[in-house]
Structures are given as C-alpha cells and as structure tokens.
Amino acid sequence: MSIGEKIPATIITGFLGAGKTTLVRNLIATAGGKRIALIVNEFGDMGFDGELLSDCRDPTCKADEIVELNNGCICCTVAEDFLPTMEALLKRDPAPDHIVIETSGLALPQPLVRAFQWPSVRNSVTVDGVVTVVDCAAVAAGQVAIDEVAVAQQRTEDEALDHESPIEELFEDQLRCADMIVLNKADLVNEGQFLTVTERVREDSRAGVSFLKAKNGLISAEVLLGLGAGAEADMDDRKSHHENQHDEGDDDHHHHHHDDFESVVLSPQPIGSPAAAKEKVAAIMALPGVLRVKGKLAITGKPAPLVVQAVGPRVETWFGGPGEIAAGLVVIGLHDFDRAEVDTILASTIAA
C-alpha cells in the first residue's frame, strides 16, 4: 500500500508550556471538515484538558474521538496503550481522515515513530510528519521550558521516563526527529533574541526542516497536515542524541523570519513524465520561503493524474485513479515567496 493510501498521522511534540495544546486546537479549528482522531498523552494531573478541545465548536471535533492516555509517557508504554488505541481507531467505520498525536512533553518522538512499524499498524497508517513546538521565550532565556520546575516535577513523577539523560538532550532529540519546527511565542522575544533562538534550534535539527515563526500556535491545518514525510521509514535520518554521531552542519537548514503564509493554486499544462514533474516540484521546493507543494498534475498520455506531496527535500509522487481530475498544484509558503519563479519553473522544459 502506498503512502497515499494510508491514513496519515501527525505527531506533535515539545516541552510542557511550549504551546502544543493551543497548536492542536488551532489545527482542529482549521481542518476544513477532515475527521481528525486525536490521541493525547500527558502524565497525571498535567494531562490534557479534553474539554478544551471538545468545546472548540468545530463540527469535526467530537468528544468520543478524543483519546486520553494518562498513565505515562507514550513512548514508554506503546505496547500497552498506544498500539491498541491505534488498532481501535483503524477499526472505526468510517476511519479517520487524519490522526493527530500530542505527546507528553517528555516523550521522545523516535520510539513513537518506530511504533508505526508494528505489523498491525504499518500497512494502514503512516507518519505524515513530526512537528516540534519550541518555546522561544524559554530558549531565549537559556532554558528548554519556561517553567523548568514543573518539567522536573513531571519527570520525577513518571517512573517510566529516563531520568539519567540531561533535559537538554531530550530537547535535542525532539528537534532531530522533526519535519517541521514551530518557533512559538515569538511575540515574547525581540528580533535579536529570535535570531539567537533560531540559531540554537538549527544546531540540532535536520537538513531541509522548515522553521515557522508563530504566535499563540496560530498555524493552520493546511500547513501542518499533509507533509507526506513517511517518517517511520526514515529513522536513519532522525537519530537520537546517543545514536547520532555526525554533525549535520548549519548550511542546509532553512530559516524563515515571517509568520504570514500564502497559498496559491496553479494549473500548469500537462507535463511530459512523472520524473519531469518530480524535478519541477523539487525545484519549487528549493525556492526561499516555499514550505509545501501538493496537488494533482496531468501527465502527457496518462489517464490518471500524478498526485504530488512535497515538504523540505522530500518529494513523493504516485498515480491517482483513472477519471480523477488533475486539479493542479497548491503551493504554500511565506507571504513573500517568488510566485513568478514558480510559474517559470512550471513552464520550463525538462527532459522526460
């Protein structure tokens, strides 16, 4: 089964107080009718307030679709809680359009992503993307969370957690696993502090990761969902602090300064081959400010459109069904990305 046929799952990670819950609430409010199944995992009294989401007044946000796992770190209890929960979601009729998992602030994303390789899950669900939320004010103050006392208490009370690794290493692991990093609470720091925060975060993130500047987690589902990362099949590039032995460098990272997004729909002429289409999309993704490209393209001589999903350096393509409409491309980026250059790339001739 291809990535395009699997139910996509998005993992939202980040420390206590970074703004994960607010981000999830905004995501659901802008999901545009998608049936979102939400799995929330926080420890004990610091657990997620399910009522907050069930009262979000969005028709797709239903209380019976909110699954709270309050007995410990999700990455440490996947065999007991996470996998049965996923299996139960997959049995629903109709199945959810998208699964969103908000992890505990101290959960390592790597073990959770690997859990999607479990036989009962891997053929039906794929990790669409890992989104790490960073508290700009905390990092600017030389911390990983604004209330490190609360984080320390959370860590002490959860016997399932690794208490040996420094908390900074957990932060690094959250960054290393991310497909998208949200620099939240950016309004609480000045421009110089924001640049410092970004440079700090860049040190431990992977090449090609998008950095988004945010206030109050105000990023729409259109930006957060549909990344097509297939992260469970890409673990060699997401190694934890102890696994990762090489320096990824700074030059390959993308740094964005703007928090306004633009989405444009383009209808190019039929393209000669899937390879040419993929090359064009990769060239568009390489433009400054472009965050995502998705859509369906007409391929010369083919009865079915080519489905495209691209984020960062990854471009995924597969053919849709005969009779489906080649609706064109949606290009999502920062408000000042070069639309004219996108048009030029699509109009250019690339050998099949």
Side-chain angles (χ1 to χ4, degrees):
M1 183 179 291
S2 72
I3 287 178
E5 297 173 318
K6 296 181 181 181
I7 298 173
T10 296
I11 297 171
I12 311 290
T13 188
F15 277 102
L16 181 72
K20 300 190 304 295
T21 298
T22 306
L23 185 85
V24 170
R25 183 172 183 171
N26 290 329
L27 184 161
I28 290 176
T30 59
K34 285 182 180 289
R35 295 184 69 257
I36 304 292
L38 175 64
I39 299 176
V40 180
N41 178 235
E42 282 286 6
F43 181 75
D45 293 337
M46 296 181 185
F48 190 94
D49 181 2
E51 289 301 314
L52 177 66
L53 277 180
S54 62
D55 191 40
C56 74
R57 299 181 182 178
D58 187 288
T60 64
C61 179
K62 300 176 182 177
D64 64 353
E65 293 184 1
I66 296 175
V67 182
E68 296 187 66
L69 307 177
N70 283 321
N71 64 337
C73 175
I74 197 170
C75 71
C76 299
T77 60
V78 288
E80 299 173 8
D81 292 311
F82 173 68
L83 289 171
T85 298
M86 290 294 296
E87 290 163 357
L89 286 175
L90 294 176
K91 292 178 182 178
R92 287 188 168 224
D93 186 12
D97 297 321
H98 205 108
I99 298 170
V100 174
I101 303 165
E102 181 188 343
T103 72
S104 159
L106 293 173
L108 298 183
Q110 284 88 346
L112 177 56
V113 174
R114 289 191 182 95
F116 282 81
Q117 299 171 350
W118 193 258
S120 62
V121 173
R122 66 188 179 196
N123 291 327
S124 301
V125 186
T126 182
V127 181
D128 180 64
V130 178
V131 178
T132 296
V133 185
V134 173
D135 184 336
C136 283
V139 177
Q143 304 171 209
V144 297
I146 204 64
D147 189 348
E148 290 194 338
V149 174
V151 172
Q153 180 182 353
Q154 181 187 26
R155 194 180 192 191
T156 300
E157 292 177 350
D158 192 343
E159 296 179 357
L161 292 174
D162 170 18
H163 298 129
E164 300 300 324
S165 298
I167 195 170
E168 289 78 14
E169 289 186 10
L170 303 181
F171 182 57
E172 292 170 13
D173 289 347
Q174 290 179 352
L175 297 175
R176 285 185 174 130
C177 200
D179 297 287
M180 184 174 284
I181 296 174
V182 176
L183 299 171
N184 199 28
K185 303 185 180 181
D187 55 310
L188 302 182
V189 299
N190 60 38
E191 187 62 24
Q193 290 173 317
F194 181 74
L195 291 174
T196 299
V197 169
T198 306
E199 289 304 311
R200 164 65 187 91
V201 171
R202 288 177 62 194
E203 292 174 2
D204 292 300
S205 58
R206 299 181 302 123
V209 172
S210 295
F211 286 70
L212 305 185
K213 186 178 182 181
K215 173 184 177 181
N216 296 325
L218 289 174
I219 297 179
S220 71
E222 184 180 41
V223 174
L224 295 170
L225 305 185
L227 302 185
E232 72 278 10
D234 185 33
M235 293 309 298
D236 285 345
D237 196 33
R238 301 167 188 268
K239 294 179 180 179
S240 67
H241 179 87
H242 295 292
E243 295 171 324
N244 197 341
Q245 301 298 317
H246 67 278
D247 180 9
E248 294 178 339
D250 291 330
D251 293 337
D252 294 328
H253 295 79
H254 300 293
H255 174 210
H256 306 309
H257 295 279
H258 305 279
D259 55 354
D260 293 327
F261 304 108
E262 181 178 0
S263 176
V264 296
V265 180
L266 306 172
S267 301
Q269 295 297 313
I271 297 175
S273 71
K278 194 168 185 177
E279 188 172 342
K280 286 176 182 285
V281 171
I284 293 171
M285 284 302 307
L287 294 176
V290 174
L291 301 174
R292 287 183 51 206
V293 177
K294 61 181 181 178
K296 296 180 180 180
L297 292 171
I299 301 298
T300 303
K302 300 294 183 181
L306 186 73
V307 182
V308 175
Q309 291 278 10
V311 60
R314 180 183 295 275
V315 179
E316 298 283 351
T317 62
W318 63 90
F319 278 105
E324 289 186 17
I325 298 174
L329 284 183
V330 178
V331 180
I332 302 170
L334 303 175
H335 69 84
D336 56 355
F337 78 86
D338 193 340
R339 163 70 186 277
E341 184 61 24
V342 172
D343 292 334
T344 298
I345 291 170
L346 289 174
S348 65
T349 301
I350 297 179

